[in-house]
Amino acid sequence: MNSYRVPQLAKKYTDYDMIRQHTEIPSFPDSRARLLQVFVGRTDEKGHQELYALATSLVQLAMDTHDRIDTISGDRGEQEMRSRQLNVLAGDYLSSRFYQLLAHAGKIEMIGKLSGAVSEVNARKMTLYERMKKLLVSADEYLRETVQLRMQLFLSFTDMIPDKDKPLWNSLLTEFSTCETIAAELNRMRDEQQLLHSYAFWHIYEYGNDEERSHLHQMKIELRAWNAVVLKYSVNEVLLDKLRESIHRIQLMLHEGGHQDVQEMDAILEPYLTYVQPSHAVVRED
């Protein structure tokens, strides 16, 4: 199997001075891309696994970049307006590269499948966002729906996977998407710009007292007060527990079943193991 180099290949499309100066490309969907490359490498499409992983990752980055636009509200200065415009343009640019890559390789059918998946993601997002606006989302529902949104593009390849591998593919995609989501949520808690409608927000809104819920409802809470309430409701540990459970399920699937590519799967899992190490967890509680 070829070495995994999809993130490096993607830099050809993401590392532009204009983008780096005025906006920021979201986190690369590394676990999902690497998992896709492994499973496509077992199919009749072997030889195109890297292409599919790269193209799908660019679509995911395009969608995630466009999602950043919705988080910008209120009056904007020149820098904010430029950043907003670059988010639009960067997302459109990354999306166009996906079309170009697959069209050049003659993979027109896959363009259609991924385009359909984009529509499904957008429809699902709208349903979720409407419920979020009405504050009708529980923390677990938010997490579950976010995981499903992360999976949708990559599920476009399920029909390509051999029948005997489909259950493992679906299960691992779910669990690795869960790990990615939880890691992102742990990082969000330390970013003042991303607190709104994060997992921590929904957890505190669900379990907090009337005063705390009122502050969240009005979207008015100082960072110091936020950190205090996050600690009060042990949000960090709740997420770490969920991450441990997901890691454990992955390890059981890989090592008890005697599946191939265990070494590659362990490499995909490795970044998440650092989150549940005691030293890392203590640092994140500070």
Side-chain angles (χ1 to χ4, degrees):
M1 177 179 171
N2 294 331
S3 61
Y4 176 67
R5 56 178 192 149
V6 176
Q8 288 72 33
L9 294 174
K11 288 182 179 181
K12 173 182 177 181
Y13 308 100
T14 60
D15 278 9
Y16 283 97
D17 289 340
M18 183 67 72
I19 292 176
R20 286 190 305 221
Q21 288 174 10
H22 300 291
T23 189
E24 182 179 350
I25 295 295
S27 298
F28 193 83
D30 196 65
S31 299
R32 287 165 286 164
R34 197 164 186 171
L35 188 70
L36 177 62
Q37 181 169 308
V38 168
F39 275 87
V40 173
R42 301 179 181 180
T43 72
D44 293 339
E45 289 281 348
K46 186 174 183 178
H48 293 102
Q49 64 264 44
E50 190 173 76
L51 168 67
Y52 288 148
L54 174 60
T56 309
S57 296
L58 291 177
V59 183
Q60 186 68 65
L61 288 175
M63 297 182 71
D64 293 344
T65 301
H66 280 153
D67 282 347
R68 288 174 173 264
I69 300 166
D70 298 332
T71 66
I72 303 173
S73 59
D75 295 332
R76 304 182 182 92
E78 181 180 352
Q79 181 63 30
E80 287 78 11
M81 284 295 296
R82 184 170 297 176
S83 178
R84 191 175 195 276
Q85 292 166 354
L86 260 295
N87 275 320
V88 175
L89 293 175
D92 291 347
Y93 168 75
L94 292 172
S95 183
S96 71
R97 296 304 91 182
F98 128 74
Y99 281 103
Q100 182 187 49
L101 283 168
L102 292 179
H104 182 72
K107 300 300 179 181
I108 307 303
E109 181 180 357
M110 190 50 63
I111 292 176
K113 286 186 177 181
L114 284 172
S115 298
V118 169
S119 297
E120 291 180 27
V121 169
N122 287 334
R124 192 157 192 157
K125 280 181 184 176
M126 290 303 298
T127 300
L128 177 60
Y129 292 168
E130 285 300 314
R131 288 179 56 77
M132 289 167 67
K133 285 180 182 179
K134 298 174 182 177
L135 298 174
L136 297 175
V137 179
S138 69
D140 283 344
E141 180 184 3
Y142 165 80
L143 188 63
R144 184 172 58 253
E145 285 299 308
T146 303
V147 169
Q148 288 297 317
L149 290 171
R150 287 178 182 268
M151 292 174 57
Q152 201 65 52
L153 291 178
F154 295 83
L155 285 171
S156 301
F157 294 87
T158 300
D159 289 344
M160 184 186 298
I161 306 298
D163 288 342
K164 65 183 179 61
D165 290 335
K166 283 180 181 177
L168 182 63
W169 156 251
N170 281 292
S171 296
L172 286 175
L173 181 60
T174 299
E175 296 300 342
F176 277 117
S177 297
T178 299
C179 289
E180 274 197 61
T181 301
I182 294 172
E185 292 298 326
L186 287 166
N187 293 330
R188 280 185 75 175
M189 286 196 297
R190 303 180 70 84
D191 186 344
E192 188 174 2
Q193 302 301 315
Q194 297 190 55
L195 303 180
L196 181 62
H197 292 167
S198 62
Y199 177 88
F201 176 98
W202 296 113
H203 184 85
I204 295 166
Y205 192 82
E206 186 174 352
Y207 295 102
N209 59 40
D210 289 343
E211 182 180 359
E212 292 160 346
R213 288 164 62 92
S214 177
H215 284 307
L216 291 177
H217 189 277
Q218 298 173 46
M219 313 304 179
K220 295 179 180 179
I221 185 166
E222 296 180 354
L223 184 59
R224 179 171 295 187
W226 168 263
N227 289 334
V229 78
V230 163
L231 186 60
K232 175 182 176 181
Y233 291 101
S234 303
V235 182
N236 192 78
E237 191 56 41
V238 169
L239 282 169
L240 287 174
D241 282 343
K242 291 180 180 295
L243 182 57
R244 291 186 190 98
E245 292 168 2
S246 191
I247 289 172
H248 182 63
R249 287 192 292 268
I250 292 171
Q251 291 172 330
L252 285 177
M253 281 187 278
L254 295 180
H255 297 286
E256 289 189 358
H259 296 287
Q260 57 182 311
D261 301 310
V262 169
Q263 186 175 1
E264 182 70 11
M265 297 298 176
D266 284 343
I268 303 175
L269 190 58
E270 185 176 357
Y272 305 113
L273 294 174
T274 65
Y275 278 87
V276 297
Q277 291 172 355
S279 60
H280 190 93
V282 170
V283 169
R284 303 191 81 83
E285 287 283 5
D286 291 344

